[in-house]
Amino acid sequence: MIKISDLSSGSNQRERGISRREFVRRSMLLGATAPVVSVLLAACGAGESTESTGADTVADSARTTPSTSSVVDAPASTETSGGATKETLTVGWLGDLLSLDPSKMRDTLDTELGYKLYSSLVRIKTGTVDELVGDLAETWEVSPDGLEYRFSLRPTAVWQRDYGPVTAADVQYSFMRHKDESVGSLYATEAANIKDVQFEGDHTAIIIMEQPYPGFLAEFAAYRPGFIVNKKAIEDAGERYNERPVGSGPFLLEVWLPNEKVEIVRHDGFYGDPGPFKRVTYVIIPEEATIEIALEKGEIDIAYFFNPETQARVTTNPNLKSESITGPRTYYLQLNLERQPLDDVRVRQALWWAIDKDALVEGVLLGQGEATDTLLNPHVFGRLAERPYTYDPDRARQLLTEAGYPDGFKTSLLIYDTELVPELGTAIQAMWREIGVVAELIQREWAQHVEVRRSGNFDIALQPQLRLGPDQYITPLMHSSSIPYPNASRYNSPEADELIDKARITVDESERERLYHEIQRIVYRDVPVIPLVHPVFVLAFQPVIQGAVPGLITLNVTEMSVTG
């Protein structure tokens, strides 16, 4: 019999520095089932430690409970170490960037910096997830048949680093580049529907589609592939473009020291309002609790928080201000259908039935989020709110028996070392153990996690996805053209491909919504992925900062101000 006193009370647990991960581990060793542990987690809470989650761990997230000593070293050669002024802003960020080439961007800091360094034809209005406003384009219009987009560009836009004025020819190059196989763009599938890009003079760009693409403006033009680049700058820099990217946005890159910091400085030739800051420094900090300490001490000025315990502390800290946004990200499992026994749909369905998502929300997210059976976050068009999979371990065992695995099987679960992933992975590992499935946790840092999935050398992987539109979720993760990556499941369904292709070009909203609902029901049936939860994001900052609005893990730096 399990005694709660054997596990640790909330206060003693925090004093001893026991992590949520360690709490789960000790509970399981004492014989607790997954539902019991979930209840105990929710009731007691868990502190943080540097305990590793698996034998293959590279670098654990080590979210230590904040102490009173400083743990953030001031970045070398920087003039700011926190404390926003009228000219500087210091940001704490969980992970390093991967690429500043819009054709290769795939991570949160890539995106955040992309919005600062580059311009796009249109952008998403701050505080919304679907309202478009002009950026490089002063005006635009779409033909009645949805096949032609005409943009009138600002005549005052200029490139950084003396590369001259931005022209419609740059728009042509930027968009058609994603279609060039030699570039290897991650957005080649999305760009495939672009038939041609033409220009009339320097300030009119005309984009012609093969077929209607209703999501083009929000999902392509206002997102990573829509960042406008300079052909000569890319050719001049070659393989070293990440060190010297050229955009026409409000900031330009000054310094990138991998795993340490990124510094951007104001682009004085920017056509719009660059805001009050002449310099923004992103300090790369792999541990969220360390970011919290730095924020409390004024070593940084603003940061996003994802861990529910940290969120609870920063939102109740009287010396900080905070804002939150609900559910723009989806955590999900990606199952490699080329690995046995995951090639059997009954096995994949069994794994889904065996996950108590409501317990994940209460025990891991501490109630700060919602369970989901769909990839699409609550802000996305076409989202299906159905929950066909309730927690049912008996049904899971029955399916495993039918598939020839009455005693379960061994597999592996690839996780990475930040945010909620280690905790979610540990909880899911415990839940699967209830049906005889023994999942070894293999932890990698994020860049390695991406490459392992790309290579196909994994069984099951846990990661998040945050996008603006339905096709941005569904095409990368379910369409056969996205194999081997991002469709690392190697899911290949002609039925799904046909529906995805049709939904992407359907103009009638009700029919388009019906198609996306049908696609999501195919996910329920075929289980190439298992959606899990939508968490809450919290943006916390120093009280002197005004106008900070949380978004899709981006910062509205040009719209902020500093008082005092």
Side-chain angles (χ1 to χ4, degrees), residues 6 131 146 162-163 168 172 199 212 220 223 225 232 238 240 250 254 263 334 371-372 386 398 438 448 450 481 550:
D6 290 334
E131 186 176 344
D162 298 321
Y163 273 89
Q172 180 190 56
F199 52 90
F220 191 99
Y223 192 54
K232 189 174 188 303
R240 303 188 69 176
E254 184 174 75
E263 291 189 0
Q334 197 165 35
T372 182
E386 295 176 353
Q398 179 184 349
V438 179
Q448 292 176 324
V450 170
S481 65

Side-chain angles (χ1 to χ4, degrees), residues 306-319:
F306 308 100
N307 183 289
E309 292 173 345
T310 317
Q311 289 177 344
R313 291 195 295 269
V314 298
T315 55
T316 56
N317 187 327
N319 298 317

Side-chain angles (χ1 to χ4, degrees), residues 91-300:
V91 181
W93 206 272
L94 264 176
D96 204 357
L97 66 89
L98 299 179
S99 178
L100 291 174
D101 180 343
S103 73
K104 303 294 192 299
M105 289 179 174
R106 62 181 186 265
D107 206 0
T108 56
L109 189 53
D110 301 6
T111 309
E112 161 65 10
L113 290 170
Y115 283 118
K116 305 300 179 285
L117 305 181
Y118 298 102
S119 303
S120 50
L121 292 173
V122 295
R123 62 180 176 82
I124 303 296
K125 183 178 179 181
T126 300
T128 76
V129 295
D130 57 4
E131 186 176 344
L132 294 166
V133 294
D135 192 0
L136 270 180
E138 291 183 313
T139 62
W140 66 93
E141 57 185 33
V142 185
S143 65
D145 60 7
L147 295 176
E148 182 177 298
Y149 293 74
R150 179 178 289 263
F151 298 88
S152 296
L153 308 185
R154 299 176 186 273
T156 55
V158 295
W159 291 108
Q160 301 157 0
R161 309 189 196 278
D162 298 321
Y163 273 89
V166 179
T167 70
D170 296 314
V171 177
Q172 180 190 56
Y173 170 74
S174 300
F175 283 17
M176 297 304 286
R177 181 170 178 257
H178 293 292
K179 295 171 67 69
D180 184 344
E181 292 184 3
S182 67
V183 172
S185 173
L186 297 177
Y187 306 97
T189 299
E190 292 88 336
N193 196 39
I194 298 175
K195 182 178 182 179
D196 194 15
V197 180
Q198 302 173 355
F199 52 90
E200 294 177 357
D202 286 342
H203 302 120
T204 301
I206 306 164
I207 300 173
I208 301 171
M209 300 293 179
E210 295 278 3
Q211 297 173 299
Y213 183 3
F216 169 71
L217 290 175
E219 299 180 15
F220 191 99
Y223 192 54
R224 296 167 181 164
F227 294 140
I228 307 303
V229 297
N230 182 283
K231 180 180 180 180
K232 189 174 188 303
I234 287 177
E235 292 174 345
D236 287 349
E239 295 297 319
R240 303 188 69 176
Y241 184 75
N242 273 335
E243 301 171 21
R244 193 176 169 83
V246 173
S248 57
F251 292 90
L252 68 149
L253 180 71
E254 184 174 75
V255 174
W256 173 23
L257 299 179
N259 298 312
E260 183 177 340
K261 68 174 180 176
V262 179
E263 291 189 0
I264 58 177
V265 295
R266 183 187 293 174
H267 171 209
D268 290 331
F270 180 57
Y271 51 83
D273 180 1
F277 303 113
K278 291 186 176 181
R279 177 182 299 272
V280 181
T281 299
Y282 296 83
V283 183
I284 310 304
I285 305 173
E287 304 164 4
E288 188 164 294
T290 308
I291 295 178
E292 181 189 1
I293 294 169
L295 187 63
E296 287 180 339
K297 290 184 168 294
E299 295 171 346
I300 62 173

